[in-house]
Amino acid sequence: MNAIEVRDLRKEFKEITALDDVTLRIKEGEVFGLLGPNGAGKTTLIRVLVGLIKASSGEAKVFNLDVNENIMEIRKRVSLLPQDCQTYEKLTAFENIFYYGQMHGTLSDEDLRKRTNDLIDLIGLRGRENDLTKHFSGGMKRKVLVARAVVMDPDLIFLDEPTTGIDVLGARTVRKLIKELAGMKKTIILTTHDLNEVAELCDRVGILVSGELVAIGTPKELEEKFKQANLEDVFVALSTGEEG
Ligand SMILES: Nc1ncnc2c1ncn2[C@@H]1O[C@H](COP(=O)(O)OP(=O)(O)OP(=O)(O)O)[C@@H](O)[C@H]1O
Ligand SMILES: [Mg+2]
């Protein structure tokens, strides 16, 4: 089954075309890298798919449900790590993760408590779990937000630049978590500017440039199709028109 099916999706903000008739399908269980330069439309596409904004035209389905008609149903199975998002500063790390899961309402408190504790160990914040996140560093907050995004055991996870601002070890931990989730057949949509991360994690990638999906395929397919040595050269060629 398709986790995501998008057809001729268009989003205009006044004179800016953020999504220019995007058509794409992502299968269940895929780790899909959504790439593109700043302002290409990646976050906009994600926001349409989780129902935070409405497209100007076109069709978007998640697990075969239309985002305009069934968003509450979709949200039971989907979670998002937003690109720019803060923790609740007056809550501890544990509370940030646990209450977010509780708000979602799909797991028992007992399961949530266990998952929250497992995630705190995983992101390396054991010992700081009862501190207010107000006093956390930027990367520590980002780790809490990553944990929060997966605590309710979603089937489809949008991670909008999960490793941005996180140190080398933390980023490695997040990548490990993404691999574990992939092993559990979760569908993951990942945006990142780190192409090594893409090579390590993604089954397929889609490259957006000025709202247009200019390429889609496995990294290897794209290197062959655009006659480039690596994904970075493909990216540069497509986003600037330069030949590598
Ligand atoms: N709410 C909004 N109002 C007006 N314009 C917007 C809005 N949201 C996005 N845009 C515009 O849409 C375009 C795409 O933005 P988007 O945030 O989707 O890019 P992105 O690919 O996520 O970039 P980045 O890599 O910098 O995160 C940009 O030109 C942006 O200015
Ligand atoms: Mg973005």
Side-chain angles (χ1 to χ4, degrees):
M1 212 222 314
N2 287 322
I4 291 173
E5 201 175 344
V6 163
R7 200 169 305 149
D8 298 326
L9 198 68
R10 201 171 180 80
K11 178 65 184 178
E12 278 153 5
F13 296 105
K14 294 193 182 139
E15 68 281 6
I16 294 169
T17 303
L19 295 174
D20 192 353
D21 296 338
V22 172
T23 295
L24 107 133
R25 272 189 215 97
I26 298 170
K27 287 191 290 290
E28 263 187 280
E30 266 194 279
V31 179
F32 189 87
L34 193 55
L35 312 184
N38 293 137
K42 305 177 297 291
T43 297
T44 302
L45 177 57
I46 291 174
R47 288 167 65 85
V48 169
L49 289 170
V50 298
L52 290 174
I53 53 173
K54 274 200 171 16
S56 309
S57 61
E59 195 179 65
K61 286 183 178 172
V62 175
F63 294 128
N64 233 2
L65 300 168
D66 192 300
V67 293
N68 288 324
E69 289 159 20
N70 297 97
I71 198 64
M72 294 319 277
E73 207 50 41
I74 291 169
R75 285 201 183 137
K76 287 182 190 159
R77 298 181 63 188
V78 171
S79 82
L80 162 68
L81 168 70
Q83 181 173 8
D84 38 25
C85 163
Q86 288 301 319
T87 56
Y88 292 99
E89 295 203 321
K90 290 180 180 160
L91 297 182
T92 66
F94 184 94
E95 289 165 343
N96 261 282
I97 302 166
F98 180 80
Y99 288 140
Y100 193 79
Q102 221 178 25
M103 221 155 45
H104 208 254
T106 47
L107 291 182
S108 71
D109 282 4
E110 195 187 336
D111 284 347
L112 269 180
R113 192 162 289 117
K114 180 171 185 321
R115 285 182 64 84
T116 303
N117 272 316
D118 288 348
L119 283 164
I120 282 169
D121 285 329
L122 189 82
I123 59 177
L125 286 178
R126 179 63 62 204
R128 300 297 301 271
E129 70 273 26
N130 295 322
D131 293 352
L132 298 185
T133 57
K134 185 178 179 173
H135 306 301
F136 277 15
S137 74
M140 287 162 72
K141 287 181 192 166
R142 199 78 191 136
K143 289 181 189 174
V144 171
L145 292 169
V146 171
R148 199 187 77 162
V150 300
V151 71
M152 77 289 267
D153 198 22
D155 295 320
L156 168 62
I157 308 157
F158 293 94
L159 297 170
D160 198 349
E161 301 197 18
T163 52
T164 300
I166 296 188
D167 66 31
V168 175
L169 287 180
R172 182 189 278 225
T173 306
V174 171
R175 287 198 294 274
K176 192 169 148 230
L177 175 62
I178 293 172
K179 282 186 202 158
E180 274 174 30
L181 293 165
M184 292 156 70
K185 299 280 168 243
K186 308 288 187 186
T187 310
I188 296 159
I189 316 299
L190 173 72
T191 79
T192 175
H193 295 289
D194 179 346
L195 296 178
N196 291 326
E197 192 164 285
V198 173
E200 184 180 340
L201 296 172
C202 297
D203 301 315
R204 284 196 308 152
V205 300
I207 301 180
L208 278 173
V209 177
S210 306
E212 237 182 288
L213 188 72
V214 294
I216 184 166
T218 65
K220 199 165 171 25
E221 281 168 358
L222 297 190
E223 285 160 19
E224 282 168 10
K225 179 165 181 201
F226 295 98
K227 301 188 175 56
Q228 302 291 340
N230 54 52
L231 198 56
E232 181 170 311
D233 290 346
V234 173
F235 185 90
V236 171
L238 289 173
S239 31
T240 62
E242 276 174 33
E243 298 286 318

